[in-house]
Amino acid sequence: MARPRKPLLSRDRIVEAARALVDTEGLAAVSTRRLAAELGVSGPSLYNHFRTKDQILEAVADSVSAQVDLTMFEAGDERDWRTALHDWAVSYRAALRAHPNIVPVLARGPGRRPAGLRLADAVFGAMTEAGWPPAQATSIGALMRYFVTGSALGSFAGGFVDDETAYDPADYPHLGQAHRLAEQQELVDERAFETGLEALLDGLAHQFARLPAAGVRR
């Protein structure tokens, strides 16, 4: 039998299959045996590309980080640091909302993941070039990661049940309309994210205005 012209397996194919599995069934569903079955290969063949399940999940997480737009931090982009940070945060959250089950892995930090490190490098570089001291630029990167990943870990509105009898006014006098939150989940969560992001950026702008007028301040 002639050999196939293309390899049956590649890192990209494994990551794509693992990401689909994480998206539909969660982290616990991923195993080398399950992935091998999904890909139609023998289990040991996966070890030519990944030694462990954790390495596969790390690669899936990095593939999601790679979906985040970083063009606002590139040379020649005219956005100021605040607008760039806003637009990046929106793109970051969109990537995480598209793949919420991988967020716990992403929340551990970039480690050695290339796309995750490029993301951290881009934010830190843009903030220092804008005039933020390195220590504060590091804090901004950490703060934004906490905020965006936190917003993607769960839904505030989705935490209430769609049952008007669930919140007795005698016990919860201010939750008379809470049962309506579930049906407006996307709107409520989106509005909450934008409210928090604007408040966060307002606070950073206030701090930035108090910095010594040194360095480049975009």
Side-chain angles (χ1 to χ4, degrees):
M1 181 180 294
R3 291 185 178 181
R5 294 182 179 180
K6 294 182 180 180
L8 291 175
L9 205 56
S10 68
R11 285 181 64 92
D12 287 345
R13 278 195 67 205
I14 296 169
V15 170
E16 183 178 349
R19 187 173 58 234
L21 199 54
V22 171
D23 286 346
T24 56
E25 299 184 36
L27 294 171
V30 178
S31 69
T32 53
R33 179 179 297 180
R34 177 71 184 277
L35 280 173
E38 293 284 333
L39 291 163
V41 299
S42 63
S45 62
L46 295 177
Y47 298 122
N48 293 325
H49 302 277
F50 296 98
R51 293 194 302 273
T52 65
K53 168 186 168 178
D54 284 344
Q55 285 187 349
I56 295 173
L57 292 178
E58 288 287 312
V60 171
D62 211 41
S63 74
V64 173
S65 292
Q67 297 174 15
V68 181
D69 182 16
L70 298 177
T71 58
M72 65 286 296
F73 300 130
E74 293 177 355
D77 191 281
E78 296 299 321
R79 281 170 278 194
D80 61 24
W81 70 265
R82 175 181 171 143
T83 304
L85 208 56
H86 174 277
D87 294 349
W88 167 75
V90 170
S91 176
Y92 190 8
R93 180 171 179 260
L96 268 55
R97 287 194 69 196
H99 307 281
N101 291 335
I102 199 64
V103 173
V105 179
L106 284 163
R108 297 201 294 255
R112 297 176 182 271
R113 299 193 298 266
L117 290 170
R118 283 193 294 272
L119 188 153
D121 181 73
V123 175
F124 179 80
M127 295 304 102
T128 54
E129 288 175 11
W132 285 98
Q136 286 175 279
T138 299
S139 295
I140 290 170
L143 170 65
M144 297 303 293
R145 185 165 69 84
Y146 299 153
F147 177 69
V148 176
T149 57
S151 74
L153 279 172
S155 166
F156 172 80
F160 294 87
V161 298
D162 185 12
D163 178 0
E164 63 182 338
T165 68
Y167 308 109
D168 190 330
D171 296 320
Y172 316 107
H174 306 295
L175 296 182
Q177 299 300 310
H179 65 281
R180 300 180 60 190
L181 290 173
E183 67 183 29
Q184 302 179 48
Q185 178 177 332
E186 185 172 351
L187 175 63
V188 172
D189 291 346
E190 191 69 30
R191 188 184 299 154
F193 175 77
E194 280 293 342
T195 298
L197 182 57
E198 288 299 322
L200 188 155
L201 294 173
D202 283 347
L204 289 176
H206 180 68
Q207 292 183 33
F208 190 72
R210 290 162 29 204
L211 291 177
V216 179
R217 294 178 56 158
R218 293 180 58 200

